[in-house]
Amino acid sequence: MLELRHVVKRFGDVAAVDDVSFAVRPGQIISLLGPSGCGKTTTLRLIAGFEIPDHGQIVIDGVDMRGRRPYERNVGLLFQDYALFPHMTVEQNIAYGPRYRGTDAKAIPGRVSELLALTRLTGLEKRRPGQLSGGQQQRVALARALATNPKLILLDEPLSALDAKLRLELRIELKEILSTVRATTIVVTHDQEEAMSLAEHVIVMHQGQIMQEGSPAEIYARPATKFVAEFVGRSNWFLGQFGGELGNGTLEFTSDDGTTLRLARPPAGIVGKVEVCVRPERIVLNCDGNNTAVTGRSDVNVLEGRIVSTALLGAFLHYVVQLSNGHRILLIDKNMGEPPKPEGKSVSIHFAAADCIVVPAESRSV
């Protein structure tokens, strides 16, 4: 449905989009994920026709978009600020696109009613945007984007203007709506949870380039660089180098601060100085001193320390454990209703060798 082939866009000496290539299948939902200034919104604007590439091709449904204006591309847009017409009612906003494009006037009311039902706006059609909540405005903007039956839908930070609770609720609704209409969709976001929950394929961008792409599970579990690992989740890092074989498919690793770990064999080609990432939710906290079940196993790391910080964050408990060499480890535990472990308590932590993610030390960082 969509192909970008070696697309470049410069603003002066800055390459906002630097040799970007990717493809989107019909009906697929993908996310362009990255920090502010990474090039994701410029990429979206290039696809929509609001910017012209300096080099490369953008192909939609087999047609090269070179020279085609935005209204000639049959692309639906949902802007970050929704851009609703304040003087129009909900139904007038939704009907605007079909009327502008010359759709048969008799067919428009039926299409509007269909979209009102799909986006749960039935009964609000006579209201104006100023009389709606933020979530309702977002759904009106989505219905308007869908009204012309576009071949491609582009969403630019669609939930960023909403509060945290409403973002979570509408994230679920948005995915259901897009799945129902089977729309080919590109979502631009800086929120990794939003990207990974909405999209089946994630493209991580940084400094105008694609750092990695794959399924949400692949991106999270097997990041290719330190930048990707840090951007898509919390991380604990150890800088050091490999040692010898330890058996059971594991390698020894010694960090520069003296921490020794067991690692599952890393991907081929990673040699020399490396960085090891351990996700906080993969670490188990043990406060009773009984490590019999894990001590001595060649696929488990056991480290001693003490709790220096405790935070109760609703469904989860965040602990910071300081090892004897001063290295601090963040771990995240489920809140099972028990009191948080006290600060200053001596504890051990353990995690599997397979949960250690290895990337080259020279990889980019945030």
Side-chain angles (χ1 to χ4, degrees), residues 181-340:
V181 299
R182 297 183 178 179
T184 306
T185 307
I186 299 178
V187 183
V188 161
T189 182
H190 66 276
D191 185 322
Q192 58 104 350
E193 290 186 4
E194 188 174 300
M196 298 175 80
S197 62
L198 283 175
E200 58 194 277
H201 190 82
V202 178
I203 298 174
V204 183
M205 296 187 67
H206 183 49
Q207 296 181 345
Q209 298 180 330
I210 294 176
M211 296 289 100
Q212 187 175 354
E213 60 176 302
S215 70
E218 290 169 344
I219 294 291
Y220 189 78
R222 294 187 293 278
T225 68
K226 184 175 182 180
F227 172 82
V228 174
E230 290 189 327
F231 199 79
V232 299
R234 294 175 178 267
S235 309
N236 295 292
W237 290 100
F238 300 87
L239 173 66
Q241 55 192 6
F242 298 130
E245 298 273 355
L246 293 175
N248 199 22
T250 62
L251 292 173
E252 184 180 56
F253 166 87
T254 303
S255 71
D256 289 354
D257 62 12
T259 304
T260 300
L261 301 177
R262 304 171 188 268
L263 309 180
R265 186 170 295 281
I270 299 181
V271 295
K273 208 79 165 176
V274 297
E275 296 210 50
V276 174
C277 164
V278 185
R279 299 294 191 191
E281 68 276 9
R282 306 302 297 175
I283 302 173
V284 178
L285 180 68
N286 182 11
C287 295
D288 60 13
N290 183 7
N291 288 315
T292 305
V294 294
T295 301
R297 283 178 53 183
S298 60
D299 61 344
V300 175
N301 296 286
V302 180
L303 303 173
E304 305 290 333
R306 65 183 181 87
I307 298 174
V308 295
S309 177
T310 300
L312 173 58
L313 301 177
F316 297 97
L317 289 158
H318 288 211
Y319 294 103
V320 176
V321 174
Q322 182 169 300
L323 307 181
S324 58
N325 60 10
H327 195 111
R328 293 192 171 198
I329 304 291
L330 170 68
L331 67 91
I332 298 175
D333 201 5
K334 289 183 180 179
N335 179 7
M336 304 302 290
E338 298 180 358

Side-chain angles (χ1 to χ4, degrees), residues 14 34 59 62 75 78 85 120 152 202 206 212 238 242 248 285 297 351 357:
V14 177
V59 180
V75 170
L78 197 162
F85 299 115
R120 294 169 49 200
L152 184 64
V202 178
H206 183 49
Q212 187 175 354
F238 300 87
F242 298 130
N248 199 22
L285 180 68
R297 283 178 53 183
F351 49 91
I357 301 166

Side-chain angles (χ1 to χ4, degrees), residues 98-118:
R99 286 203 176 98
Y100 181 80
R101 295 193 180 190
T103 302
D104 183 354
K106 294 180 181 179
I108 293 176
R111 178 62 175 159
V112 171
S113 295
E114 178 187 344
L115 290 169
L116 286 168
L118 179 66

